[in-house]
Amino acid sequence: MEKIKITIDNTEVEVSKGATIYHAAKQIGIDIPVLCYLNLEHLNIENRPGGCRICVVEVEGRRNLAPSCSTECTPGMVVHTHNLRVMNARKTVLELILSDHPKECLVCSSSGQCDLQKLSQMMGIREIHAVENAEMSTYRKDFSPALRRDMDKCIMCRRCETICNDVQTVGALSAVNRGFMSVVAPAFEQDLVDSPCTFCGQCVAVCPTGALTPFDDTAKVIRALSDPSKTVIVQTAPAVRAALGEEFGLEPGTLVTGKMVAALRSLGFDKVFDTDFAADLTIMEEGTELLDRIGRYLSGEKDVKLPILTSCCPAWVNFFEEYYPDMLDIPSTARSPQQMFGAIAKNYYADLLKVKREDLVVVSVMPCLAKKYECQREEFSTNGNRDVDFSISTRELASLIKSCNINFDSLTEEEFDQPLGESTGAAVIFGATGGVIEAAVRTAYELFTGKKLEKIDFKELRGLDGIRMATVDFNGTPIHIGIAHQLGNARKLLDGIRSGMYNFHAIEIMACPGGCIGGAGQPLHHGHSDIIKARFDAIYREDSQKKIRKSHENPFIIKLYEEFLGHPLSEKSHHLLHTHYFDKHKK
Ligand code: SF4
């Protein structure tokens, strides 16, 4: 790669041709402030519209200041990143943005995590000089079951648009209108619920202000916890334990399973259970479905639907319902672990407790915003009573713990309650891309071959590449597997299947970067691949430390089938643990 030399703040730096001033400055330790810029380094995608003008610098010989995030270095360039002219320009730009922004910092749900707020503090903005009494533009607010849009707070950075279109290929958001009226919105300024939005929430995770925020049911959870007539139980998804600690200053990848359980008990939950239990159950149902389809295919049945697609990610389910309605019969019909847990809690555990289903409140703690929508899908309710009443995110749990003055760091580790708290290593790895299919393979291999697995780790299925393919040997029968995380990659795999280019037996898809560990409800990672990697390693560490690592060996799962469900794919299992899909494209 050709190299060029430039000078930044009196320091000479050698950079590759094509590098921006922003990157060149970073190379010598100068952090130019940014607002609209976002580097999704794990994808090699940069959002750098150069629109906000916060990152302007002075380039000698040019009349106008230049946005450093989108200006390429040229040989001999001399740059000043913080002289008086630059500092004044940045302040003026920021004041102009603030002049058209609601002053709601005290009550905004993004307060404390908002880049605009942080920038105002960093630049010492204490008053807005130029346009103090200017009338603000006002826009309609939009409430969906998973996320909220308050476009009064949109600063047109277009990060959400990049994620929604370039990364996820969902195409729900794009810029509309011109000038002061320009805003990012669904086409025809529809509400999100009427758009192709999958509720993956990745737009929320990159929004630098409070324009896109999660739908938050924490207040309802607190109300239920204070109601003596209710029994309130909680389930925690596998990815939560690998990231919750970050909200309390711990290093990414610190496992806080025991402290999380202790905190939930301190909050007043009657029982603290594990979604991992339901993940083991998912493997029993989904793995049996996989074996059934493979068995029929191998015995020559012509109309067997392969590949089987995993169905535990609700954003992915929304995506294929919208974009692949012709393929609705290939995903597994198994419900997600969140919903399997809810169905077992309300139809089995409530009876054990002798509690009416209406008086049993099931709360989930998820890394995910789409789960908020999933638990509101009509098919997961009985007479209007949901199987999972409320879903809160990892970040929302952290703020609940903080608001109740619980000192997370000093908590003594505790164990999950039984019976719905027992789980295997196979269930834990659901939190990372490739984990669901590895868990399914651990069980399917033993059931298919009748032999004990000699090597439990299927390292060929692991990794953080966006699309991965592997063949697993089932004692002489090759099983071809595809894995994708993030919906843009899922689209490539699905298009390949549609066109006949790929020939897989099974495919796992997760909507978020790295799988659920990078979910939009997790502590914000803004695309830092080292954070995702640390969480990924933590998940596999927890798996390796588990006494039981295969779902079909979970003693409470075995008992549940003996006492209640009968066997995988039984009529009762079908009724409680499986679902059906809809053609949303027609909408
Ligand atoms: Fe939710 Fe996980 Fe799917 Fe992301 S990958 S949308 S966190 S289920």
Side-chain angles (χ1 to χ4, degrees), residues 259-505:
K259 284 184 187 295
M260 173 184 72
V261 173
L264 289 162
R265 256 190 215 114
S266 295
L267 286 169
F269 286 98
D270 293 296
K271 295 288 175 192
V272 181
F273 290 134
D274 201 352
T275 313
D276 289 14
F277 172 85
D280 279 330
L281 192 55
T282 304
I283 289 305
M284 297 305 291
E285 295 296 321
E286 202 167 85
T288 309
E289 226 183 327
L290 167 69
L291 285 181
D292 176 60
R293 289 201 211 173
I294 290 179
R296 286 192 288 129
Y297 172 73
L298 293 176
S299 64
E301 242 184 75
K302 290 259 172 341
D303 58 350
V304 185
K305 297 292 177 189
L306 283 174
I308 187 168
L309 306 176
T310 56
S311 53
C312 37
C313 168
W316 157 234
V317 169
N318 287 338
F319 188 76
F320 72 67
E321 286 182 324
E322 172 72 33
Y323 287 109
Y324 297 90
D326 53 321
M327 295 163 84
L328 288 186
D329 52 355
I330 64 168
S332 161
T333 57
R335 293 184 187 185
S336 72
Q338 168 178 269
Q339 293 309 135
M340 282 205 186
F341 183 96
I344 292 298
K346 292 271 171 111
N347 294 286
Y348 168 76
Y349 188 63
D351 284 353
L352 285 187
L353 292 184
K354 302 199 181 353
V355 169
K356 284 194 283 183
R357 78 172 275 143
E358 300 75 41
D359 291 332
L360 181 70
V361 178
V362 178
V363 177
S364 70
V365 182
M366 293 283 141
C368 178
L369 301 190
K371 294 279 178 196
K372 293 169 182 280
Y373 156 81
E374 184 187 52
C375 70
Q376 296 178 51
R377 285 181 74 128
E378 273 175 26
E379 59 272 29
F380 300 139
S381 296
T382 302
N383 299 328
N385 179 267
R386 293 184 202 161
D387 288 347
V388 176
D389 296 273
F390 310 114
S391 178
I392 64 170
S393 69
T394 311
R395 291 201 302 280
E396 285 157 1
L397 172 62
S399 57
L400 190 55
I401 293 170
K402 287 173 192 166
S403 69
C404 290
N405 306 319
I406 295 169
N407 185 341
F408 190 78
D409 209 30
S410 66
L411 288 169
T412 306
E413 296 191 2
E414 294 180 16
E415 298 283 333
F416 286 107
D417 287 302
Q418 301 298 7
L420 309 185
E422 181 67 49
S423 68
T424 69
V428 177
I429 59 176
F430 264 58
T433 170
V436 178
I437 209 71
E438 179 172 342
V441 165
R442 288 181 192 178
T443 287
Y445 178 92
E446 292 202 352
L447 299 184
F448 184 81
T449 62
K451 291 185 170 177
K452 209 154 185 61
L453 263 181
E454 280 166 20
K455 183 178 68 70
I456 291 179
D457 297 310
F458 286 87
K459 296 219 165 123
E460 61 272 44
L461 300 173
R462 299 182 191 173
L464 286 166
D465 289 345
I467 297 179
R468 306 191 301 286
M469 301 177 197
T471 300
V472 176
D473 179 10
F474 272 30
N475 202 27
T477 306
I479 303 296
H480 304 298
I481 290 172
I483 300 166
H485 57 115
Q486 304 204 120
L487 295 172
N489 294 322
R491 188 185 282 281
K492 287 181 197 151
L493 266 192
L494 267 274
D495 287 348
I497 291 166
R498 222 184 217 165
S499 68
M501 185 166 84
Y502 295 133
N503 206 1
F504 294 113
H505 293 101

Side-chain angles (χ1 to χ4, degrees), residues 199-202 312-316 367-371 509-513 515-521:
F199 304 122
C200 72
Q202 288 299 320
C312 37
C313 168
W316 157 234
C368 178
L369 301 190
K371 294 279 178 196
I509 291 180
M510 290 290 169
C512 295
C516 299
I517 49 173

Side-chain angles (χ1 to χ4, degrees), residues 6-20:
I6 71 166
T7 303
I8 305 179
D9 297 345
N10 301 322
T11 303
E12 195 176 70
V13 53
E14 190 178 68
V15 293
S16 303
K17 191 165 183 273
T20 62

